[in-house]
Amino acid sequence: MKKTILLFTLIFSFHLSFAQKGSVTGTLLDSLNKKTTLNFATISIFKGADTVLLSYKLSDDKGVFKINNLEIGTRYRLVINAWMYNIHRREVTLTAAQPNLSLGNIYLTEKTNNLNEVVIQSERPPIVVRKDTIEFNAESFKTLPSAVVEDLLKKLPGVSIDGDGGIMVNGKPVSKILVDGKEFFGGDQQIATKNLPANIIDKVQLTDDPEAKRRDPDIVAGNVPQIINLKLKRAIKSGAFGKLYAGGGPNKLYEAGGIMNFFRDTTQVSVLGYSNNANKPGFSIGDVMRIGGFSRSGVNSTMINSDGGFSLNGISFGGAMNGGVQTSSGAGANFNTLTKKGVKINAKYFLGYAKTFNEQTTDVEQNLGNNFIYTNSKSLQYSRNYSHNIGARIEAKLDSLTKLTIEPAVSIGLPRNTGDLSTSTFNTSRDLINDGKNASRLTGRNTDYGLSASLWKDFKKVGRSLNISVNISQRKNLSDNYNVVLNNFYNPTSTNSFDQWRDNDIDNFNLNLNANYSEPISKALSLNIATSSNYLDNENALATFLRNPSNQAYDIAVPNLTETVMQSGFKTNNRVSLRWKVNKDLNIQPGFVFNTIDLENKFTKHNGFGQHFTFFAPQLNIRYKSLNFSYSPSFREPDVRYIQPVANNTNPLFVQNGNPNLKPSKTHQVNLNMYKYDTQRALSYNIYLGGSVQNDGVIMQRTIDDAQSPTPGKQTTTPVNEDGIWQFHSNGNITKDFKGTKRQFTISAGYWGNYNKSYVIVNGVRSESKLINGGPRIGGRINLNDKLEFGETYSFGFNKSFYEDPFYNNLNYYNHGSDTELILRWPKKVVWETNYRWQYNTQSITEVDNKMAFWNAAVTFLFLKNDRLQLKCSFNDILNTNNRRYVYITENTARDLRVNNIGRHGLFTLTYNIQNFGGKVGGKETLFRF
């Protein structure tokens, strides 16, 4: 019944939005040279004497336009605007006898004077296309009173915005957003799009990025980045914007926070703070990146989960990364200014705190021919982490062609974790092989120091450029791991227990120098030389001690679990390529790569060894129109943690060995991608295929103790090298937009797929393994004048594994997923919204129900001018699903992982949005200005 209603809703909505009634067509030509077509002229449609824009169209590259969905018997007024031509007006009325009217050739006269054009205000065209600029009249695209610039941009034809706020215009990425021709908040795009109110914008202007053209004279027109300039109705010299919110709910749930931005001329200050125990981020990742200043001061690590939680530079901003329920708090500030000499200075500080409770259940099924091993583990983890992040960025334009950037950064993390792990292992007959309990405690201190500087030099000769950068980083991770373990083994029966302290200190130093030089040899040829040199000095010190029963101190050393690895030396990566511009559509860029590795590895107990390798291989890039192909080789030494010869025994049922005999891996990477945007049809499609073939790649060799062993069921993994590891991924998508002044509809379809060929080695049985997964996805979204929004997505996936040796059984399962969203803004000042997510998979490791549904709903009441005050009543996880589930295949194993969530809960949150720009001084309205 639900699917029937959903299908009916989509069909009915589509019918309402795009039912054909009648049409008007015509061809625009120059009145003197009647063979000259007028391309990309704007045809605005008004109803009778009405001054409200009904619709608009652009003429295509042949000067032809067609206006659909016009009513029979209604008088329409067409206003035609073309750059450098006089305005042309015409009235038309469709009849039942002639519903599709052809106006034939329409001749426009060229302007003959340089006086400013007189435009009737009520007939301002929604779009004006000039030689190098597309200009949108903001008033022609109606938005809600509380709308920001991003809401306005979404309504513009050819403009698309992804979930992360990235903007594409006619298939081209946006490189800059200016406000009245100047950078706003240090040039951060989304500061303007997500905070400036739409109702202060007069025009939106689009132009090509001249800097991109200068750096790459051969860039294809369809790939030239765009610059958006927001022309304001009135200049803004100072002001503030942001929001304050606070809320609570049953079971002592709460959330509170504030984010404010103050600016005056070229100086901006941002502050933010939040706290909640509702397992959610205090702000979106976009707010933190932009207003928190992380995007301007550098991000070296990012984690995002499916529920919207995220962490940056090791700082959790709310929402547990690996599941569970989290309480989080944070505060920070960002300063940005532009000096009189044109130097940009940015500085930020952020303090974060997160407390997480994670309850995880994992069921594992390992197939071994006619036998199976089943493992069930239950983990309870309590963690607390304090983190500090300090960063700065200085950007100086030494002259019109030279730019210097310096970025220092410091991150400090103080993790504190305690946990209890219970594990049970069963054989094919479901007889218990072993079980164990592991109580753990960890205290640590992680510090990262970094300094990077880069010099970009463009030369007067177009295409010649030099870029030099240096990066210095020092990372120290100090951790103390305490484990109290009791393991029981059956048939034969034995017990194993210990209480140990594992002290692991990691100190890594890296100095990296990069240089890239481009030189145009001729109009068709250009040379590129790139080199990178690394100096490494890494140390991994491990010491293990047992607890002394006599004095309860950890002072009994365990020599075979104690070792220090010291790695130092140099690596280089050198690339030379020659780009040949065959014609305007085709570029071919062959080249070669020369890599070297010279490292020494020393141990306190084991014999040291050196790693001295050279690697030489070709590389190739081909670009034909919107199609790009690349082949690139790489060469990498094994990580220090893999060559550590001491086993990790913190879970004695699953021991991890190191292997100092590992060789460097050699990888051959290929990529093929195409992106195309059809401006006239508002149709975009893309396809991507990428993959790698790796030799001497690292896989895990596994041994499982048999029933005759003193420790039956114990598993030990050791990293080993293998050739012929293949990893390929492909995805594609096609999207069609239907945009009108009051109705918007988007439909999309796509697919994804992965192919992985590797090897499984268990108890000496080696087999080639192939894992294939993927599936299609479809979706659609409709927006009826911002009163009703409805979105639906559906995806299907398959997961299959195949093994060369019959010792292993093939595995496969399927999954389905759908996501439905409905937003209704009715009556005025009330917003209803709901989201329903459904998941199903066919994997049957356990007796757990494979169907999972998540349902959230909310109603928001709007108050004050421009809806600045909002009261939101949200109800989350109404069906009380209370966990998250992940099923996947690795090696010869199917895994079913379930993690706790906050469960059914409600919150009542009051939010006050602040948008003050200029205006009078004094009174309550200036409370947040300076």
Side-chain angles (χ1 to χ4, degrees), residues 265-306:
D265 296 325
T266 58
T267 298
Q268 303 93 30
V269 178
S270 305
V271 293
L272 65 86
Y274 68 92
S275 180
N276 75 76
N277 63 353
N279 202 37
K280 59 188 294 189
F283 299 99
S284 70
I285 187 172
D287 286 338
V288 175
M289 289 287 286
R290 301 184 312 273
I291 301 173
F294 278 75
S295 62
R296 295 188 288 276
S297 300
V299 174
N300 53 42
S301 67
T302 302
M303 292 181 64
I304 305 174
N305 67 18
S306 59

Side-chain angles (χ1 to χ4, degrees), residues 140-155:
S140 298
F141 304 90
K142 300 302 180 184
T143 57
L144 296 171
S146 58
V148 292
V149 168
E150 183 178 80
D151 301 310
L152 171 63
L153 295 179
K154 288 179 179 178
K155 293 182 176 292

Side-chain angles (χ1 to χ4, degrees), residues 601-621:
N601 299 279
K602 299 179 180 179
F603 305 87
T604 54
K605 297 180 180 180
H606 296 74
N607 293 327
F609 63 92
Q611 294 173 298
H612 306 285
F613 303 93
T614 58
F615 182 56
F616 182 86
Q619 70 173 22
L620 177 65
N621 289 278

